[in-house]
Amino acid sequence: MIDQLSTLAAIAESSPTKQPSALENAIAVLFLLAFGGFMLRRWAINNGQASEALARAKNLDHNERDKIEREILDAAYRAKNQSMRINELAISIGEHQRLVLHLVRPMVKWGLLEALPLADGTPDVDLNEYSKVAISAAGDKRLRERDPVVKKTYHGDYFHVGDNSTGVNKSRVVNSHIGTYQERYDGETVAALKELERVVRESGNDDAIETLDGFLSEARSDKPSRARMRLLFSGVQQLVPTISGMTDLVAKVTAIFS
């Protein structure tokens, strides 16, 4: 057996190596040229699309820009953990990632979106299409402000038609829906929600009151989003700093979305 293997090896070594023919060389060259041309054409198309998207982003009028920014916020809000990569946002709303990146950068600067840290924990200061952003409390507030469906819901929830109608800023949402809150939460939690509402409304901060209304609406919804409640409550705390010092209240309220 060993002798047979040795013989076969000797024959293989003595066999002349077949050189590619001129035709085979020509076919290989043509293939490389075709592949190179394809890649060059693809690069040119992608570069052209990116340039067109950037030019469009810079020339959006106010209404067009507002519409796309709302779509970005809505896509981020609906995503898992209310965060997405910029290229995923682009796919989600059907826009070129260069256009989305151009709009996301100022949205992060204005606080509508938050740039999440890189994998190693360092801040992502140079946003690109692979950067991950999350909707902020300010972004959620803007999304609700500009959504006519939500506005209609808020009017149905917070305005009472009749001779003794009370405006949203003077009403007490928890008291108005006390049965719903009592079905979902224990007495101490409902009391904490009442106290939270009292403190926020007495602060006179309209942004805080509106953010609180969104939080309370989510808290009594059929399928409340814990992520959204966490986001909105954080926004309320930032707008009314005294709340953070009310440790018992904060503990009871945060327990419902922890």
Side-chain angles (χ1 to χ4, degrees):
M1 181 67 180
I2 295 176
D3 292 340
Q4 291 176 341
L5 291 175
S6 300
T7 302
L8 290 174
I11 294 174
E13 290 177 358
S14 63
S15 300
T17 302
K18 182 180 179 182
Q19 298 294 327
S21 66
L23 178 60
E24 289 173 330
N25 285 332
I27 291 174
V29 170
L30 289 174
F31 174 79
L32 290 175
L33 289 174
F35 180 75
F38 170 78
M39 295 301 295
L40 183 62
R41 181 172 180 273
R42 183 177 178 181
W43 174 86
I45 292 174
N46 289 340
N47 192 57
Q49 290 176 340
S51 297
E52 290 176 4
L54 183 58
R56 177 173 168 240
K58 292 179 178 179
N59 292 305
L60 290 172
D61 63 31
H62 178 76
N63 290 332
E64 290 173 329
R65 187 183 186 106
D66 181 74
K67 177 178 178 294
I68 297 176
E69 286 180 350
R70 273 204 65 242
E71 290 176 349
I72 291 172
L73 291 171
D74 187 62
Y77 166 70
R78 296 177 186 280
K80 183 179 179 181
N81 297 325
Q82 298 189 313
S83 62
M84 292 182 78
R85 298 194 184 280
I86 292 176
N87 56 357
E88 295 171 337
L89 283 172
I91 294 172
S92 178
I93 68 174
E95 295 286 357
H96 195 280
Q97 63 186 24
R98 183 67 65 85
L99 180 147
V100 173
L101 178 61
H102 182 79
L103 296 183
V104 163
R105 281 174 172 157
M107 292 174 74
V108 170
K109 181 178 179 180
W110 299 329
L112 299 175
L113 293 169
E114 297 175 358
L116 300 184
L118 299 172
D120 60 3
T122 58
D124 189 355
V125 295
D126 185 20
L127 294 179
N128 57 62
E129 62 268 29
Y130 300 106
S131 296
K132 196 169 189 178
V133 294
I135 188 171
S136 66
D140 183 89
K141 176 178 177 293
R142 176 178 172 184
L143 187 61
R144 289 182 291 109
E145 281 179 340
R146 298 183 179 277
D147 188 339
V149 175
V150 174
K151 279 189 174 183
K152 182 177 180 181
T153 302
Y154 279 6
H155 279 271
D157 285 345
Y158 303 136
F159 285 88
H160 308 281
V161 179
D163 294 336
N164 297 319
S165 296
T166 305
V168 61
N169 287 340
K170 294 182 180 179
S171 69
R172 291 293 181 270
V173 176
V174 177
N175 285 336
S176 298
H177 301 272
I178 190 65
T180 302
Y181 290 109
Q182 288 176 336
E183 288 177 1
R184 287 168 170 73
Y185 311 111
D186 59 39
E188 290 186 354
T189 301
V190 174
L193 291 174
K194 286 183 179 181
E195 180 65 8
L196 173 66
E197 184 177 16
R198 182 191 67 78
V199 172
V200 173
R201 294 194 182 283
E202 289 182 356
S203 74
N205 186 321
D206 290 339
D207 288 339
I209 292 170
E210 185 169 355
T211 304
L212 173 71
D213 288 343
F215 174 82
L216 293 175
S217 177
E218 191 70 35
R220 69 173 183 276
S221 63
D222 292 335
K223 295 181 179 179
S225 165
R226 292 186 178 184
R228 190 179 191 197
M229 290 172 69
R230 185 180 301 109
L231 182 71
L232 292 170
F233 185 65
S234 175
V236 172
Q237 286 181 292
Q238 292 174 17
L239 292 166
V240 187
T242 55
I243 292 174
S244 296
M246 306 171 70
T247 54
D248 289 343
L249 181 148
V250 171
K252 288 183 174 64
V253 173
T254 55
I256 68 178
F257 54 78
S258 297

